[in-house]
């Protein structure tokens, strides 16, 4: 039994009171209470996300604001996902409110949390709520807090009407302590709050019967991601209980597993809730829509309809086109694949029981409310299987986790070598290239250089091969509303900029075509331009004439789209399929295009819709040639693509004509996977004779964490290949970066010509020691070299500090000033980061999500005047951290002690004037250190202590690319690193989150800069005085001829260097 299934089994056993292996069976009540508390905690995260949606997308009045003290802006993906959840539930409830009935209506919100659904409906649809009572049901603790919030705000009281009083002082009575008492915590004519465990059906039923006479009403039960946390038997009993009434509808929104737990998104989702201590239980028994429908039919409902939120999004009657377009205007959005993954794993269901709707064997009652069309069944696409002889053999390469990359572009350097450029990595957008080479190739293929690092980092761009020696990189984007226009051409191994695209583009289609008899060109279609505008133009590029717009001769209307894929099937003929319209609807047409000439010399393109081709819509897919035909690989569709249909084949025989029309018949390919199922989203593909390389890819799985494909796959075809031909198998190789002066602020190109591995071989490990006394520390400090101390006691912080605990004790609302970086490297000289003030809870959430941010705490009272002191600045944490007694010297001479919390971002190379110890509490990091005299090699401006040069590899955590002798320390939790004064150092986190406390102290008798020194980093007084003397020397040379003055200054400089050497040779 795997770990997740074991957790589910144990949780179910505990709910039934059964003994658990390894756990004493005397009482399970404390464990049950703890689990209930964790379920209630899910409400806190949910309402913060819904508040984010409310602030951005919904018109006033706003009601989540009463329940969320400090709003946090969620990512566009989470905002879009929660908006769709909220829309689906609201439209279902609205349909119920408008349903004709003589009976009084009840909206029964089961597991409501702080959801303000009653207030929203009473405010937005007052006429439809005239004879409706809203009933919120949840744990007594939640409903009590919700009641108190209602009583604190007159706006909410006005909506629900006069509150009926049973208790003292005119307030609603508290929960009755006797078992026979009704759990009604607040009541009015329009609203009732019931504090009751949903597993206690008898008590709930009694309260609703006595308070509302529920059996005489038309009832809508609503359960939005609530009863899925219950034991399955208890949840089934609740559903069956509701079906005992003659006039009941049940709306449920929950998770599902359309492709099982093996799907990467499902893995992340399930593990996320296990980690929270709130495993999704019902989805284990009812993973599919059909399972849920049968569940409700067995419970006694007459009709049941359900569909995924992704299918709902695609339905223009459920989400109007103008509404989808409005969402695009609120905030830039381009996470379509990830949005489809999320919404394909959530469904909405409406079940109904009514005297006018007797049970029906085909699951369609005789009288279904109009609003149930919201969840009508969509069309399901099916593909055929192909013969076993065309089976694909998939060889799985070694894990390359350190090169996570998605939405990059493949470069077909040769049949033996393939590159993948750009995209998104762990720390943001990339401008680097990963190269893959056939393992059968003995020597490295150095014929072609990687694209220059000076090319701006980008995603969703194209790289197209014109022939075996020329490739063009075109377009891409930085953010969803900033498209890029530049193009680069690689010709005979060297890259150069060429004419820009006519308009900036990303998510466009591109393919090579033959123009005339010898000249090859690149045909580009569609995509998005700056501002997220979707375009429909066609452009063609030829080296002799550059870009021109193609004159379109269309037989049919081709809507503007992005994310479509195009491919040539002959010299001047090809197909276009899939894509997405501006309002987010997938396109299911297939088009044939043919290039020709119009009047004069304008290029024309004949376009014809292939109505007979039935290929399921695809977005973000790739077309690639193989020996068995054209392959469609990956992407998203109108439903989650089954594994057996991830790769479809358009056979060679299909490229003929039937009644004058081209016919493509897709068939599924059977694939042997040796390892985990890949997530074919954001991947890159490249065909090479008898093999296709699939590499990269992954997704942000909503709020559940990121998934990265950990391997690259080579699809080697036996069909269509020569007998006994060797299997082509690609693996990653390391190549020197392209020598390009555009990378000026990395270390010098001549020195960077060595690969990162060579630089790491020049590293000396920092000495690791265990010390027993203050004298031991002082002795090592006197040697003037860094060292790492192990096994010392830093306090309870080492066991108690977790992300939730830090947020709780520091306060999620406390404002902190953080460095918000643009990428994985911060550069103090370039200031490629911003100082942003934000709530601490928001900062921690963003850092945990992978945002490149960094916090260096400041003095809480006088940030501009006094140094940071951890004990004073964070009193709630001060008793959990202390310096060990062996570091008494540090404590006595302490200057400052800032708290440092870092996301996945590298600190700039710098030195500190004061000695310091770095105490690592959470996470691991690599520090690279250079001795003080090496400062002259790192372009540090006069008077500064920070270098503009980056020493870490841009895409390999902790890997150094500056080939100079250095010291290297890998700090683990509990390690303390001593950094002597003036030792240059830079840090690279190995985890997304690292927490440490830095204690600076004075280890010199005197000589520090006079006056205020908040950061403890002002250069020593002697150095500043020396700089003033240098200025005086320069002034003394004024009036002399330039050659004479420069000669004398050079000689003085040499004297200073020689005297510096003499200082080094003096005995201590």
């Amino acid at each position: 039994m795997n770990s997740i299934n074991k957790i589910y089994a144990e949780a179910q056993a505990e709910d039934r009171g059964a003994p658990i292996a390894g756990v004493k069976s005397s009482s399970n009540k404390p464990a049950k209470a703890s689990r209930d508390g964790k379920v209630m905690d899910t409400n806190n995260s949910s309402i913060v996300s819904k508040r984010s949606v409310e602030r951005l997308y919904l018109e006033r009045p706003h009601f989540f604001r009463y329940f969320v003290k400090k709003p946090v802006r969620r990512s566009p993906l989470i905002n879009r996902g929660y908006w769709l959840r909220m829309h689906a539930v609201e439209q279902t409830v609205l349909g119920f409110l408008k349903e004709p009935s003589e009976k009084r209506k009840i909206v029964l919100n089961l597991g409501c949390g702080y959801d303000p659904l009653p207030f929203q409906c009473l405010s937005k649809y007052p006429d439809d709520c005239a004879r409706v009572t809203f009933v919120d049901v949840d744990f007594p603790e939640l409903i009590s807090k919700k009641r108190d919030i209602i009583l604190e705000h007159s706006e909410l009281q006005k909506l629900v009407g006069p509150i009926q009083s049973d208790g003292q002082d005119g307030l609603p009575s508290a929960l009755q302590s006797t078992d026979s008492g009704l759990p009604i915590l607040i009541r009015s004519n329009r609203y009732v709050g019931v504090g009751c465990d949903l597993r206690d059906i008898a008590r709930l039923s009694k309260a609703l019967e006595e308070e509302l006479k529920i059996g005489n009403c038309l009832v809508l039960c609503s359960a939005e991601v609530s009863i899925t946390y219950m034991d399955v038997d208890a949840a089934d009993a609740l559903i069956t209980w509701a079906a005992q009434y003659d006039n009941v509808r049940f709306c449920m929104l929950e998770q599902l597993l359309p492709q099982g737990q093996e799907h990467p998104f499902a893995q992340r989702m399930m593990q996320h809730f296990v980690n929270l201590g709130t495993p999704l239980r019902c989805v284990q028994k009812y993973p599919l829509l059909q399972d849920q429908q049968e569940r409700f039919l067995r419970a006694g409902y007459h009709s049941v309809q359900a569909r995924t939120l992704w299918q709902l999004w695609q339905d223009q009657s459920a989400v109007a086109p103008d509404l989808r377009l409005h969402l695009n205007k609120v905030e830039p959005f381009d996470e379509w694949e990830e949005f489809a993954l999320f919404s394909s794993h959530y469904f909405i269901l409406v079940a109904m029981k009514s005297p006018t709707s007797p049970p029906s064997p085909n699951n369609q009652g005789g009288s279904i409310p109009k609003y149930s069309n919201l969840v009508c069944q969509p069309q399901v696409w099916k593909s055929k299987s192909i013969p076993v002889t065309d089976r694909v053999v998939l060889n799985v390469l070694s894990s390359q986790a350190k090169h996570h990359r998605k939405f990059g572009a493949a470069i077909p350097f040769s049949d033996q070598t393939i590159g993948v450029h750009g995209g998104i990595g762990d720390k943001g957008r990339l401008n680097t290239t990963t190269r893959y080479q056939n393992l059968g190739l003995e020597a490295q293929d150095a014929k072609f250089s990687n694209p220059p690092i000076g090319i701006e980092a980008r995603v969703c761009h194209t790289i197209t091969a014109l022939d075996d020696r020329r490739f063009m990189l075109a377009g891409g984007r930085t953010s969803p509303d900033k498209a890029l226009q530049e193009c680069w051409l690689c010709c005979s191994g060297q890259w150069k900029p060429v004419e820009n695209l006519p308009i900036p583009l990303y998510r466009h289609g591109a393919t090579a075509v033959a123009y005339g008899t010898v000249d090859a060109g690149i045909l580009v279609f569609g995509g998005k331009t700056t501002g997220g505008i979707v375009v429909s133009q066609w452009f063609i590029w030829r080296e002799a004439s550059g870009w021109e717009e193609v004159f379109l001769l269309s037989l049919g209307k081709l809507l503007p789209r992005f994310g479509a894929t195009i491919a040539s099937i002959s010299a001047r003929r090809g197909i276009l399929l899939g894509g997405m319209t501006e309002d987010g609807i997938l396109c299911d047409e297939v088009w044939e295009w043919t290039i020709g000439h119009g009047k004069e010399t304008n290029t024309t393109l004949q376009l014809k819709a292939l109505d007979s081709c039935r290929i399921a819509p695809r977005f973000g897919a790739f077309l690639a040639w193989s020996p068995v035909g054209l392959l469609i690989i990956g992407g998203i569709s109108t439903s989650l693509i089954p594994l057996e249909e991830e790769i479809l084949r358009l056979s060679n025989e299909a490229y003929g004509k039937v009644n004058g029309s081209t016919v493509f018949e897709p068939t599924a390919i059977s694939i042997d996977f040796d390892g985990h199922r890949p997530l074919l989203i954001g991947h890159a593909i490249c065909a090479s004779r008898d093999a296709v390389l699939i590499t990269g890819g992954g997704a942000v799985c909503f709020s559940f964490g990121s998934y990265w494909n950990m391997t690259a796959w080579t699809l080697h075809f036996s069909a269509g290949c020569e007998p006994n031909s060797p299997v082509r198998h690609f693996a990653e190789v390391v190549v020197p970066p392209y020598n390009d002066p555009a990378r000026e602020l990395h270390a010098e190109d001549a020195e960077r010509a060595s690969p990162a591995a060579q630089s790491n071989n020049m590293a000396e490990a920092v000495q690791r020691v265990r010390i027993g006394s203050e004298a031991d520390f002082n002795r090592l400090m006197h040697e003037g070299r860094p060292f790492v101390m192990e096994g010392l006691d830093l306090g309870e912080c080492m066991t108690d500090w977790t992300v939730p605990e830090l947020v709780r004790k520091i306060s999620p609302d406390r404002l902190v000033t953080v460095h918000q970086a643009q990428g994985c490297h911060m550069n103090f000289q370039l200031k490629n980061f911003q100082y942003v003030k934000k709530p601490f809870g928001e900062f921690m959430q963003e850092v945990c999500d992978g945002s490149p941010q960094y916090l260096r705490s400041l003095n809480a009272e006088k940030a501009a005047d006094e140094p940071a002191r951890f004990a004073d600045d964070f009193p709630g944490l001060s008793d959990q951290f202390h310096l060990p007694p062996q570091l008494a010297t540090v404590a006595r001479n302490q200057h400052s002690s800032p708290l440092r919390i870092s996301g996945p971002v590298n600190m700039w190379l710098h030195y500190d004037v004061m000695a310091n110890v770095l105490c690592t509490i959470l996470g691991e990091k690599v520090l690279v250190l250079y001795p003080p005299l090496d400062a002259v090699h790192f372009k540090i401006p006069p008077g500064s202590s920070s270098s503009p040069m980056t020493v870490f590899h841009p895409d390999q955590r902790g890997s150094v690319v500056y080939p100079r002798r250095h010291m290297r320390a890998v700090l683990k939790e509990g390690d303390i690193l001593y950094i002597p004064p003036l030792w240059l150092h830079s840090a690279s986190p190995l985890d997304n989150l690292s927490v440490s406390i830095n204690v600076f102290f004075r280890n010199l008798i005197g000589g520090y800069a006079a006056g205020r020194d908040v950061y403890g980093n002002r250069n020593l007084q002697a150095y500043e005085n020396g700089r003033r003397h240098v200025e005086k020397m320069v002034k003394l040379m004024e009036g002399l001829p330039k050659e004479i003055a420069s000669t004398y200054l050079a000689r003085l400089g040499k004297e200073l260097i020689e005297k510096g050497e003499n200082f080094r040779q003096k005995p201590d």
Side-chain angles (χ1 to χ4, degrees):
M1 183 181 294
N2 64 43
S3 59
I4 293 181
N5 288 335
K6 182 179 180 181
I7 290 172
Y8 280 106
E10 292 180 353
Q12 304 258 11
E14 287 183 21
D15 271 352
R16 294 191 297 269
I20 302 170
V23 179
K24 294 182 179 180
S25 59
S26 58
S27 174
N28 282 326
K29 289 185 178 180
K32 185 176 180 180
S34 175
R35 291 197 310 276
D36 290 349
K38 292 175 181 177
V39 170
M40 285 188 278
D41 286 343
T42 63
N43 164 71
N44 298 332
S45 174
S46 176
I47 63 166
V48 170
S49 297
K50 290 183 175 181
R51 172 61 174 146
S52 177
V53 173
E54 181 181 61
R55 294 178 70 219
L56 288 172
Y57 290 91
L58 304 186
E59 295 181 356
R60 293 183 180 275
H62 290 170
F63 295 100
F64 282 100
R65 66 188 180 95
Y66 297 107
F67 303 94
V68 179
K69 292 182 179 180
K70 188 66 179 180
V72 174
R73 180 163 181 166
R74 297 297 200 204
S75 68
L77 172 62
I78 293 178
N79 285 335
R80 184 69 61 105
Y82 268 98
W83 180 91
L84 186 56
R85 273 180 53 170
M86 295 162 67
H87 176 77
V89 172
E90 180 187 1
Q91 292 304 303
T92 303
V93 174
L94 178 59
F96 172 76
L97 296 178
K98 292 183 175 296
E99 183 181 347
S101 176
E102 297 298 324
K103 296 178 177 290
R104 183 165 186 82
K105 296 180 181 178
I106 292 177
V107 176
L108 185 61
N109 198 345
L110 302 171
C112 61
Y114 292 154
D115 188 6
L117 178 68
F119 318 117
Q120 292 170 323
C121 291
L122 288 166
S123 172
K124 196 172 181 179
Y125 313 111
D127 294 340
D128 297 311
C129 296
R131 300 182 66 250
V132 179
T133 300
F134 292 89
V135 182
D136 279 348
V137 185
D138 213 318
F139 289 107
E141 296 93 326
L142 275 175
I143 296 298
S144 295
K145 293 178 181 178
K146 195 169 189 177
R147 174 198 61 192
D148 294 343
I149 292 172
I150 294 172
L151 296 177
E152 290 173 2
H153 296 92
S154 59
E155 301 92 335
L156 301 181
Q157 292 187 55
K158 288 178 183 179
L159 289 171
V160 301
I163 305 297
Q164 299 174 18
S165 171
D166 291 339
Q168 300 176 355
D169 302 323
L171 296 177
S173 61
L175 179 64
Q176 301 290 333
S177 60
T178 62
D179 291 339
S180 59
L182 298 181
I184 307 299
L185 299 187
I186 182 171
R187 63 164 66 86
S188 72
N189 289 334
R190 300 175 182 172
Y191 179 78
V192 176
V194 181
C196 181
D197 190 327
L198 293 176
R199 293 166 293 200
D200 193 349
I201 294 177
R203 196 158 191 248
L204 175 62
S205 181
K206 181 179 179 181
L208 297 176
E209 284 291 350
E210 295 189 14
E211 184 72 21
L212 297 165
K213 308 299 181 186
I214 189 173
N216 299 325
C217 300
L218 181 63
V219 180
L220 171 66
C221 298
S222 177
E224 182 187 355
V225 192
S226 56
I227 66 175
T228 187
Y229 301 120
M230 297 170 62
D231 172 70
V232 179
D233 293 339
D236 286 346
L238 184 67
I239 292 170
T240 302
W241 162 79
Q244 71 177 308
Y245 299 106
D246 289 334
N247 292 284
V248 65
R249 291 86 174 91
F250 204 115
C251 169
M252 186 170 75
L253 190 150
E254 282 187 2
Q255 298 88 349
L256 79 159
L257 304 173
Q259 294 299 320
Q261 278 189 229
E262 295 73 26
H263 191 279
F265 184 96
Q267 292 177 28
R268 285 290 183 268
M269 178 177 74
M270 300 295 281
Q271 188 63 55
H272 168 81
F273 287 102
V274 167
N275 293 343
L276 292 178
T278 58
L280 303 177
R281 302 175 181 182
C282 293
V283 76
Q284 292 276 309
K285 186 174 181 180
Y286 306 109
L288 305 177
L289 287 179
Q290 181 179 351
D291 299 326
Q292 291 286 0
Q293 291 172 317
E294 292 173 354
R295 176 191 194 186
F296 277 80
L297 289 172
R298 286 195 302 270
Y301 294 87
H302 296 164
S303 66
V304 187
Q305 295 183 336
R307 63 172 165 176
T308 68
L309 295 188
W310 180 237
Q311 292 164 342
L312 182 143
W313 170 267
Q314 295 289 308
D315 185 347
Q316 299 196 34
S317 66
V319 186
D322 58 344
L323 184 54
R324 284 194 296 267
L325 291 173
H326 168 70
L327 300 182
N328 292 340
K329 295 177 182 177
V330 173
E331 62 179 341
F333 185 79
D334 191 39
E335 292 80 10
W336 289 104
E337 292 92 344
E338 294 158 330
F339 178 53
L341 284 176
F342 157 77
S343 50
S344 294
H345 281 84
Y346 280 73
F347 72 92
I348 186 166
L349 172 149
V350 175
M352 187 190 72
K353 182 184 177 186
S354 173
T356 60
S357 298
S360 173
N362 64 359
N363 190 32
Q364 297 293 329
S367 176
I368 302 173
K370 182 178 180 181
Y371 64 89
S372 67
N373 290 334
L374 186 75
V375 290
C376 65
Q377 290 298 301
Q379 179 184 7
V380 178
W381 293 86
K382 295 292 183 183
S383 296
K384 301 176 182 179
S385 60
I386 63 173
V388 177
T389 54
D390 286 330
R391 194 177 188 84
V392 176
V393 178
L394 188 68
N395 301 306
V396 180
L397 306 184
S398 302
S399 173
Q400 298 293 334
K402 63 182 179 180
H403 281 114
H404 293 162
R405 189 187 299 266
K406 60 184 180 181
F407 298 106
I411 312 172
F413 286 123
S414 69
D415 283 342
Q416 306 289 342
T417 305
I418 293 167
V420 181
H421 170 267
I424 300 174
D426 291 298
K427 302 176 182 180
R429 294 187 304 276
L430 304 172
N431 61 355
T432 56
T433 301
T434 300
R435 188 174 286 211
Y436 298 86
Q437 191 165 292
N438 182 17
L439 290 177
L441 192 64
E442 295 181 0
Q444 194 174 108
D445 185 355
K447 181 179 178 181
F448 293 97
S449 299
N450 290 340
I453 293 245
I455 296 179
E456 185 173 5
R458 66 193 61 213
V459 301
C460 301
H461 53 302
T462 57
I463 298 180
T464 310
L466 286 94
D467 47 44
D468 59 2
R469 65 181 183 86
R470 293 182 300 163
F471 323 103
M472 174 179 279
L473 182 156
R477 69 166 176 84
T478 54
S479 63
D481 58 350
K482 184 183 176 183
L484 299 174
Q485 198 169 0
E486 63 181 324
C487 297
W488 288 72
L489 181 70
C490 180
C491 185
S492 300
Q494 298 301 314
W495 292 83
K496 62 179 181 180
V498 292
E499 180 188 359
N500 286 347
L501 284 162
I503 57 175
L505 286 176
Y506 69 92
R507 285 199 186 267
H508 51 284
T511 188
V513 294
Y515 193 94
T517 57
V518 293
D519 196 9
I522 293 178
L523 183 68
V524 167
F525 164 73
K528 281 190 173 185
T529 189
T530 298
I533 299 171
V534 181
V535 301
S536 60
Q537 289 106 313
W538 294 76
F539 302 102
I540 193 166
W541 180 90
R542 291 171 293 156
E543 192 165 8
S545 56
W547 289 103
E548 69 169 287
E549 186 168 359
V550 177
F551 182 73
L552 189 61
L553 303 174
S554 177
L555 299 177
K557 185 177 181 181
L558 177 65
L559 294 173
R561 65 194 64 199
F562 63 102
T565 181
I566 64 175
S568 299
I569 58 178
S570 65
R572 289 162 53 186
R573 186 164 64 98
I575 62 169
L576 177 151
L577 60 86
M580 182 178 285
T581 59
E582 188 171 7
D583 61 344
I585 296 296
L586 292 175
C587 306
D588 61 357
E589 325 101 88
V590 179
W591 296 78
E592 182 182 37
W593 50 264
T594 305
I595 293 178
H597 292 283
K599 295 180 179 180
E600 299 179 352
T601 60
N602 292 336
T603 304
T604 62
L605 187 135
Q606 183 79 33
L607 197 60
K608 181 180 180 181
L610 303 180
D611 297 329
S612 60
C613 295
R614 304 300 295 168
I615 300 176
R618 292 274 176 126
F619 172 85
F622 286 94
L623 287 171
W625 280 101
S626 76
V628 298
L630 195 59
L631 302 181
I632 307 172
I633 301 176
I636 59 172
S637 189
T638 49
S639 59
L640 200 63
I641 300 174
L643 175 60
E644 61 271 15
E645 297 184 18
E646 287 274 24
I647 301 178
L648 299 178
R649 166 182 175 260
L650 302 178
S651 62
N652 289 334
E653 307 85 59
Y655 304 139
K657 300 273 186 176
V658 177
N659 297 325
S661 296
T662 305
V663 176
F664 296 100
E665 194 65 36
T667 52
I669 288 185
S670 177
I671 302 175
D672 288 330
F673 281 97
D674 180 15
H676 296 295
R677 170 179 178 167
L679 184 60
L680 296 184
I681 284 174
H683 56 296
I685 65 103
C686 194
S688 176
R689 290 201 316 198
D690 57 346
V692 174
L693 173 70
I694 302 176
T695 184
V700 175
C701 299
F702 203 59
S703 57
F704 312 137
S706 294
Y707 183 93
W708 298 92
N709 288 330
M710 303 295 287
T711 53
W713 297 272
T714 303
L715 278 62
H716 180 268
F717 297 83
S718 57
C721 298
E722 296 180 3
N724 303 319
S725 61
V727 174
R728 200 176 302 273
H729 188 167
F730 289 94
E732 183 178 343
V733 294
V734 177
V735 297
Y738 177 65
N739 184 10
D740 175 35
R743 303 170 312 157
E744 201 282 322
L745 286 177
H746 288 76
E748 290 88 343
D749 289 326
E751 293 181 303
R752 272 186 177 267
S754 299
Q758 176 184 336
S759 179
N760 289 332
N761 290 335
M762 301 178 71
E764 174 189 350
V766 173
Q767 179 186 12
R768 303 185 73 88
V769 299
R770 288 181 176 266
I771 61 174
S773 66
E774 181 181 3
D776 290 342
F777 173 77
N778 290 340
R779 175 179 53 80
L780 289 166
M781 180 177 64
H782 185 69
E783 294 178 4
R785 289 169 61 83
F787 56 91
V788 175
M789 293 163 278
E790 302 175 330
L792 297 180
D793 178 22
L794 290 172
E796 297 175 357
C797 59
M798 297 308 303
T799 56
D800 292 357
W801 283 14
T802 62
V803 171
E805 185 70 4
L806 286 172
V807 172
R808 185 180 71 83
K809 289 205 168 186
I810 293 177
S811 172
D813 300 330
R814 176 170 170 174
L815 292 178
V816 292
T817 300
V818 304
H819 300 68
Q820 189 160 294
Q822 299 172 1
C824 60
H825 296 295
M826 288 192 296
N827 190 308
F828 187 79
Q829 300 296 341
L830 284 181
K831 289 296 190 297
N832 63 343
F833 56 86
Q834 293 180 313
Y835 294 106
V836 179
K837 186 173 285 189
K838 62 178 60 179
F840 180 71
E842 178 181 342
F843 161 71
M844 290 295 284
Q845 177 66 52
E846 291 173 350
V847 164
C848 291
D849 289 342
S851 177
Q853 299 184 48
Y854 172 77
L855 166 66
R856 193 262 193 210
S857 68
L858 305 174
N859 186 284
E861 299 295 331
K862 300 179 179 180
D865 300 319
E866 298 291 337
R869 296 185 178 91
F870 177 77
D872 299 331
D873 300 332
F874 301 95
L877 297 171
S878 60
D879 61 341
Q880 295 183 326
F881 169 81
H882 60 250
L883 287 173
Q886 294 89 336
L887 303 188
T889 299
V890 178
R892 283 194 305 272
N893 298 284
Q894 181 179 153
H895 168 271
S896 57
S897 50
L899 172 69
R900 298 183 186 271
I901 301 178
S902 176
V905 62
N906 297 338
M907 185 68 176
W908 58 83
L909 184 69
H910 69 286
Y911 65 77
D912 299 307
V913 175
M914 289 189 185
N916 66 92
V917 290
L918 182 63
C919 306
T920 309
I921 300 171
L922 283 178
E924 297 185 4
K925 63 179 70 175
V926 171
L927 262 85
V928 173
L929 303 102
Y930 298 88
L933 282 176
D934 276 7
V936 297
H937 301 290
F938 288 99
K939 302 182 180 179
I940 299 176
S944 176
S945 59
S946 297
S947 168
M949 293 166 58
T950 297
V951 297
F952 282 111
H953 192 284
D955 194 31
Q956 299 180 31
R957 289 191 179 188
S959 182
V960 178
V961 293
Y962 187 73
R964 188 173 189 84
R965 296 295 302 180
H966 59 275
M967 300 190 75
R968 188 173 188 268
V970 179
L971 298 186
K972 301 178 181 179
E973 295 179 355
D975 284 349
I976 304 175
L977 171 66
Y978 168 69
I979 305 176
L982 271 61
W983 273 72
L984 291 106
H985 54 280
S986 181
S988 176
L990 297 179
D991 299 308
N992 273 358
L993 174 72
S994 66
V995 179
S996 57
I997 294 178
N998 210 176
V999 183
F1000 293 86
F1001 65 101
R1002 297 179 177 88
N1003 69 328
L1004 302 178
I1005 297 175
Y1008 292 102
R1012 185 174 59 189
D1013 189 3
V1014 173
Y1015 295 96
N1017 212 28
R1018 290 181 59 189
N1019 281 300
L1020 295 178
Q1021 189 67 50
Y1023 172 71
E1024 293 299 337
N1025 289 340
R1027 290 186 63 222
R1028 284 191 284 271
H1029 286 302
V1030 169
E1031 291 298 323
K1032 290 180 181 179
M1033 285 190 289
V1034 172
K1035 287 186 177 180
L1036 289 173
M1037 301 297 169
E1038 291 180 359
L1040 295 176
K1042 292 181 180 179
E1043 186 174 351
I1044 295 175
S1046 61
T1047 299
Y1048 280 145
L1049 287 173
R1051 289 185 62 190
L1052 288 170
K1054 186 177 179 181
E1055 287 184 47
L1056 286 172
I1057 293 173
E1058 290 173 351
K1059 291 185 181 296
E1061 290 294 328
N1062 293 336
F1063 265 108
R1064 291 183 64 197
Q1065 296 172 10
K1066 282 186 178 182
D1068 294 337

